[in-house]
């Protein structure tokens, strides 16, 4: 899938990953909240923006919905 063209924005990298929830970036880390199971949150290394890399994934708990993720210093906050 190609990234959509937007006037005045130049894409530098692409990662085909499900999500649909909140995205937060702090330094070289990005977190993506997921709208549907099996994952609640993905943690990415974006130190090279042209090649973002998944470094960890947190699974949802059965019967829960989790789509928000925020980095607060060294703490990751997600909703359940």
């Amino acid at each position: 899938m190609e990234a959509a063209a937007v006037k005045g924005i130049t894409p530098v990298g692409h990662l085909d990953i499900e999500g649909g929830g909140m995205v937060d970036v702090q330094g070289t880390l990005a977190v993506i909240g997921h709208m549907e199971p099996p994952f609640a949150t993905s943690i990415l290394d974006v130190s090279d923006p042209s090649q973002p890399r998944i470094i960890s994934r947190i699974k949802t708990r059965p019967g829960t919905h989790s789509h928000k993720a925020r980095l607060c210093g060294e703490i990751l906050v997600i909703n359940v």
Side-chain angles (χ1 to χ4, degrees), residues 15-22 31-44 54-69 76 78-80:
L15 179 65
D16 190 10
I17 186 171
E18 65 283 306
M22 182 181 277
V31 292
I32 299 173
H34 296 277
M35 294 298 290
E36 298 179 11
F39 300 111
T41 308
S42 290
I43 304 169
L44 284 65
I54 298 170
I55 56 176
S56 186
R57 294 186 118 183
I58 300 169
K59 290 189 173 191
T60 57
R61 288 188 258 162
T64 65
H65 174 78
S66 182
H67 67 286
K68 295 182 180 174
L76 169 63
I78 63 173
N79 74 312
V80 177

Side-chain angles (χ1 to χ4, degrees), residues 67-79:
H67 67 286
K68 295 182 180 174
R70 171 98 45 192
L71 289 166
C72 302
E74 296 181 3
I75 298 171
L76 169 63
V77 179
I78 63 173
N79 74 312

